[in-house]
Amino acid sequence: MSTGEPLLTIDGLSVSLPGPAGPVPVIKQLDLRVDAGEIVGIAGESGSGKSLTALTLLNLLPPGAVVGGSIRFDGQDLLSLDRRGWQGVRGSGISMVFQDSTAALHPMLTIGRQLTEHIRAGLGLGRAAARTRATELLDQMRIPHPDRALRAYPHQFSGGMRQRVAIAIALACRPRLLIADEPTTALDVTVQAGILALLEEQRRESGLAVLFITHDLGVLSALTRRAYIFYAGRVMESGGTADLLTAPAHPYTAALLGARPHGLSAQRTLRAIPGAPVLPDQLLPGCPFEPRCTFAEDSCRSGPPPQVPTTSGRTLACVVAPDLTGEPVVNR
Amino acid sequence: MSETATPAASLPDDPGTLIDPDGDRPAARSGRSRSLLRFIVKKLLTTIGLLFGVTVLTFLLVQAVPGDPSTTNLTEAAQQDPEIVAAYKAKWGLDKPLPVQYLTYLNNLLHGDLGTSQSTGNSILSDLAKYVPATIELAIPAMVLSLLISIGLGMWAAVRKDRAADHTIRAGALIGLSTPSFWLAIVALYIFFYVLGIAPNGGRLSTKFRPPQDITGMYTVDALLTGRPLVFWDALWHLALPVLVLTSLTVSILIRFVRSAMLEVLDQDYVKAAYAKGLPRFTVLRRHVLRAGLVQVVTVGGLAFASLLSGTVLIEQIYSWPGIGQYAYLAALNLDLPAIMGVGLFVALVYILVNLLIDVLYGIIDPRIRVS
Amino acid sequence: MNELASQRPTKPVAGEVILPARRWFGIRPGRPRPERPARPPARALTAVAIVILVGWLIVAIAAPLIAPYDPLAQSGPYYSAPSAAHWFGTDQLGRDILSRIVYGSRLSLPLAVAIVALALAIGGTLGLLAGYIGRWVDESLMRLTDLVFAFPPIILAMVVSAAFGPSARNAVLALVLVSWPTYARVVRSAVLSIRGSDFLHASRLLGVGPWQALRRDVLPNSVGPSVVLASLELGNAVLMLASLSFLGLGPRPPAPEWGAMIAAGATDLSKWWVSIIPGIAILTAVLAFNLLGDAVRDWLDPRSRRRG
């Protein structure tokens, strides 16, 4: 599907947030790629840097954040943009759907207002045309009586409907990439399925690329072809979703699945991960997962494990896994 | 604009309107106007109960005062006359048990009889009618200015959190909060009248002008109504210093609230979502942040009003401003108990009504009315 | 018994918090993370506040040693401007203003502390009872606080102290009367938040009686918010007391109360020192109390720390 340059290329991204005792690194050496019309997943625990990655892509980090590395989107270097430049990217290049639709919609503005205010500027439409587009969008999102819905306030809708409205708002200016930050976490399973179907439909019909952030491995496997597993601001393992979930190579991915790294003898099973995730400000020199890892060796403590490509098309950040699981590493 | 005016009222109360194909229920289904009405009625009932309680409190306070009420409430000359004393006792039912006395008191209150001032000898209601307009003329401009300035500065501080502007604004507010209002009034008068000579030495009007014909009791308004521009400007000139002092005190109280309300709003996902849509910063601040922050600021309006009332009590004396504050001050100085009670009752009434108004306003501004 | 039924099935044991994400992943937390040390509050400002307050404390204690003259007796000509003999000048009765300010600290500061302490004791007790007993006790107490809140504080204080006659004692009582409801509300809501919490239910299950629970669990947990409020209110108490005195409703003359001293100078602006200098005394004391109050809040109330 991809022709030439990917839609989004993140290269060596690092982000630090201001902390009480100086900057705290929260994302370290992150590489990530999204092709046009592709749904890519990011999975990890809370605090692993998933949402911060999303906010970085829209320059919405809290003041004082320091960003390094490079982000290329649609031929543009995002990190060199000024405020005006970001305004051009937001909404019409990259847009975002948040986890909690109650919090992400302004409680005191009508749906119509929130849906049209950026259409007029973003697509250069007049008031009437913007309204037509808004009605269309709500209809596409299967919201009944779009005309009336435009005049309603967010609290008059159910959670599922609100999230549909939020997606309509995000898609209003025909962005090429949609970041969905756990958009279905707050919803019932049945409602969740409807939203996921909607995203897949948008991908198929308008070539929308989606960066789907979740902690739910079930959703991950249902929606995405490729996925990145985050831990402590780093990518532990990435590759085809089906591969990752059926045959995890990284001990952390395996632990998430409550399973064992594939190819390992059945004696060394692993149910829960002992210990708590490291805090960003108390990071160790070595692999961030090392203190909780059953398979840790001395070599894990010496330095951050390099990202190595494997023959099954994954990238793996673990020193012991290749030997342990027999996952062949591509010759470097 | 058309879409913001009672929009939900046009949504019929039909439960089928917002049916959710996903199957979960709409959060709020009932029409907005109906719940708003219920909200207002509830607030009104609470207010009536509160007013009733206030009369009980003032009544009990009078009872708790040591000494015979007839001697403390009548002028000395009147106390010499046994007939007047007897008539007084009958009028206030002082020979009857307490609950009956309270009912008499309440009855008199409802007929607008707040008693007679010992120091002026007038009925307290007519005294209030004379003094209140002067205070309103001070309080309204101060209220408007305070809200505008504190919203502006509070929002600026929130947007520039932990930067120089924020620190300066907060330090200023803290110093303002620590300054005795009456002292600030004296300092302002000393600087602007005594040293610089650009402000008048108190009062409502220069002596060379006759006060305008009494229509509203507010000199600026009356001067305009009767077409006397010079009087208007002179009255405005006299207003400037007390209004500015009152404003600076109220602003320093409000800024904290505005700032933290705005900080809370700035932290919301819907602000991030508004930026994520590609809206320019100014639009986000004006349309999204200010709007949500204002709802919270409206609720501190009551606080602003209380601070203004307290401020006028102390400041009017310094600026020789014949308002309700000076009336209260003179009453307190002369231990004119009926007058003090009258002022207390009146101020509580106004204060409660202002808070009622704020509650209702809050319910109107925020579509998610919370009937707690 | 209903409390038992309403408990959710997966209750963390006290001290252990299961973050949702980790539960989803089936990852159990290990040792609880060490609490991150509190961000040092604006230390410099707090230090300034402490220095000012300690300074005032020394002045109040050592007033006879510091004051150059008798604060109540004439010690120079009427209205003499600040000079070598009278650093802050003299007032309308020829009394030394510096000496009066120094002795005034013996009035304002202890009285402010008394106001806050009494209001805290009364409001705190009532709030504790209201929150703990609930039902009609709670209902009637809350209506009573509504009633007091129906008046702007200074007006009510004025009415009360005028009604009972101006004196230091009545001014303090009036200010306690207008300020106790705030404490009652704060303590009540602190109690309510603990009352609904599971660890109180748990301790009840372990056979801890209501009074013991009140003493052991409820009381210590409502201390934090009350201390924060009390420290924030100290400055306000100094201001309110000065305001009442300014209106002639505080300690009787010739007591050297700061607010009353300001009132004495308000009539003649050419004698600016008579009112402006005592005002600076009030300003420094109140500012120091407010700074300290903020520091205490930042220290004890983690929510405000985050909000900054």
Side-chain angles (χ1 to χ4, degrees), chain B residues 28-350:
Chain B
R29 200 177 254 176
S30 62
R32 186 184 158 211
S33 47
R34 201 202 292 160
S35 55
L36 180 63
L37 193 69
R38 208 184 306 139
F39 174 80
I40 293 175
V41 166
K42 201 179 141 104
K43 286 286 167 196
L44 257 174
L45 288 177
T46 323
T47 303
I48 290 169
L50 206 55
L51 283 174
F52 186 72
V54 165
T55 60
V56 175
L57 190 70
T58 43
F59 174 75
L60 288 179
L61 265 175
V62 177
Q63 296 303 314
V65 173
D68 184 354
S70 63
T71 55
T72 47
N73 280 325
L74 290 179
T75 56
E76 273 186 35
Q79 282 175 40
Q80 306 306 317
D81 191 337
E83 260 180 52
I84 293 180
V85 173
Y88 178 86
K89 285 198 169 172
K91 179 187 168 194
W92 293 94
L94 291 180
D95 38 358
K96 311 229 171 62
L98 268 188
V100 181
Q101 282 188 41
Y102 171 69
L103 289 179
T104 320
Y105 170 77
L106 197 62
N107 188 39
N108 285 337
L109 278 186
L110 288 176
H111 290 89
D113 188 350
L114 294 165
T116 306
S117 161
Q118 281 172 282
S119 37
T120 66
N122 302 326
S123 97
I124 289 168
L125 197 67
S126 68
D127 273 356
L128 286 179
K130 204 166 77 191
Y131 285 94
V132 166
T135 298
I136 293 178
E137 200 173 16
L138 269 189
I140 287 179
M143 180 95 178
V144 172
L145 272 179
S146 310
L147 286 175
L148 287 179
I149 295 174
S150 56
I151 288 169
L153 288 181
M155 192 156 162
W156 188 19
V159 171
R160 311 289 299 172
K161 180 170 182 281
D162 287 335
R163 311 280 272 274
D166 182 29
H167 289 307
T168 314
I169 290 170
R170 291 169 74 190
L174 192 67
I175 292 173
L177 209 59
S178 311
T179 308
S181 50
F182 49 96
W183 178 75
L184 187 66
I186 294 172
V187 172
L189 196 62
Y190 177 72
I191 295 173
F192 293 103
F193 163 70
Y194 188 77
V195 177
L196 300 177
I198 54 171
N201 183 18
R204 295 181 73 183
L205 214 56
S206 301
T207 43
K208 63 181 174 197
F209 290 115
R210 237 175 342 98
Q213 188 196 342
D214 188 353
I215 301 170
T216 62
M218 289 178 268
Y219 283 5
T220 45
V221 178
D222 289 350
L224 282 182
L225 288 178
T226 52
R228 298 173 65 190
L230 288 179
V231 173
F232 170 77
W233 288 114
D234 191 66
L236 205 63
W237 183 51
H238 280 78
L239 263 174
L241 211 50
V243 165
L244 286 182
V245 169
L246 271 179
T247 303
S248 66
L249 292 165
T250 309
V251 163
S252 46
I253 292 176
L254 291 186
I255 276 187
R256 273 183 181 220
F257 291 94
V258 177
R259 178 180 175 272
S260 67
M262 293 296 176
L263 274 182
E264 205 162 294
V265 173
L266 284 171
D267 213 30
Q268 297 289 322
D269 272 356
Y270 57 76
V271 174
K272 287 200 191 85
Y275 280 119
K277 288 198 284 194
L279 293 179
R281 183 182 153 111
F282 183 73
T283 310
V284 175
L285 288 181
R286 187 175 51 86
R287 195 176 296 159
H288 295 246
V289 178
L290 189 62
R291 197 183 187 99
L294 276 187
V295 173
Q296 317 218 26
V297 171
V298 164
T299 56
V300 296
L303 194 74
F305 192 71
S307 132
L308 281 177
L309 282 177
S310 314
T312 46
V313 169
L314 296 158
I315 284 174
E316 284 179 3
Q317 175 58 20
I318 291 155
Y319 292 110
S320 319
W321 196 265
I324 187 160
Q326 196 170 56
Y327 183 66
Y329 173 80
L330 291 175
L333 212 63
N334 299 320
L335 298 185
D336 184 351
L337 208 54
I340 295 173
M341 291 300 167
V343 171
L345 211 57
F346 172 77
V347 169
L349 175 77
V350 173

Side-chain angles (χ1 to χ4, degrees), chain C residues 291-302:
Chain C
L291 284 171
L292 197 72
D294 279 355
V296 169
R297 187 198 52 197
D298 287 349
W299 178 50
L300 286 179
D301 182 2

Side-chain angles (χ1 to χ4, degrees), chain C residues 161-178:
Chain C
S161 56
F164 289 93
S167 74
R169 193 197 62 187
N170 288 348
V172 168
L173 290 182
L175 292 176
V176 170
L177 185 84
V178 301

Side-chain angles (χ1 to χ4, degrees), chain A residues 99-121:
Chain A
Q99 174 175 352
D100 181 358
S101 58
T102 317
L105 294 175
H106 198 292
M108 277 155 265
L109 296 174
T110 58
I111 301 298
R113 186 100 176 235
Q114 301 191 54
L115 195 45
T116 51
E117 60 179 350
H118 58 308
I119 292 182
R120 296 176 62 187

